[in-house]
Amino acid sequence: MSKSIESKRQLIEDHISKIFQEKNKSELLALDFEINLLLCAAQSYKHESALKPFPSTFLSDSTNTKNFDQLLSALLSFPPVLEWKNKIKKFNQDQLCVIYWILMHKNYSLNICTSIDKEKLMKSAKCVHDFATPSYIFEVKYSNEKDRKFDQIKQNTIDELDLEGGATSVCFHGTRMDNLYSIMHMGLLSHLNKNGLFGEGTYLSQEPSLSLHYSPSCKTWSSSLIGQRMSCLLVCETINHPRHVKLA
C-alpha cells in the first residue's frame, strides 16, 4: 500500500529535522548531490535510458506514461537544502514525492567520506600522475549481503589462482554525469557501454588523470551547495580474475 502524501510529508520532515540537528551537514551535501544526479539524468538528451529506475509517482496511472516534464519541474523548483528546515512544510506534492523517492527508493547509502583524501587515493590506486584535488569524496555503501558476496568472490579468486598477495585493484571510472543516477542504482553494466579499443566492457584506469577525460563537467542544479559545475569519478575496487578483467 502506498503512503499518503501527509505520511510522506511527516517522514520527510522528521528526516530533515534529524539532519539539521547534527553538527556537520554531510548528509545535506549527500542529499544535494543526489538531487544533482536525478536532475542530470532528467535533463539528459537520453533521459529515457538515463532515468532508470524512473520515480514511480511520476508515472501516469492509466497509461504508465513517464511524466518527464512534471518531474523536471519539481526538481528545478527546490530551494537550497540549507533552507529546507524552514520551507519544507510548504513543499507541494510533487516536491515531496521527489524527496521521498530519493530517500526511500534506493539500495545504497551515500555519505561524505572523511577517512580518505587525495594522497590515500593515489597510494591505494598506485597511480603515478598527479590529478586535481577532489572537492568532495562520497562513499557509496550497499548491503552487507553484497559486501559478503564480493569478499567471497575475492577469496575464491585468491584460492583458485594461488595468489600470495591481494586479488584486487583500486581503479577509476570516468563517465558523463547523466549516467551516474542509473549507475548508483543498477551498477556498472557492461552491455550499456560503447565498444572500445579492447571490445565490450567497463573501462577503468589506475590513473585518475586519464579517467577524467571521460568525465566532462556539467551544469548543476541552480541551488546546489556543491557549485555551478560538477564532474565525477567513480573509485572502484576490482577483482582481477583473468576471465573477467583484461589488464593493459
Side-chain angles (χ1 to χ4, degrees), residues 187-204:
L188 289 164
L189 303 177
S190 296
H191 69 277
L192 295 180
N193 299 330
K194 296 179 180 178
N195 283 350
L197 181 62
F198 300 102
E200 184 181 284
T202 300
Y203 285 70
L204 302 104

Side-chain angles (χ1 to χ4, degrees), residues 23 89 120 128 133 135 139 147 174 191:
K23 290 184 178 180
K89 291 184 180 297
K120 288 183 179 179
V128 176
T133 302
S135 300
E139 182 178 18
D147 287 343
H191 69 277

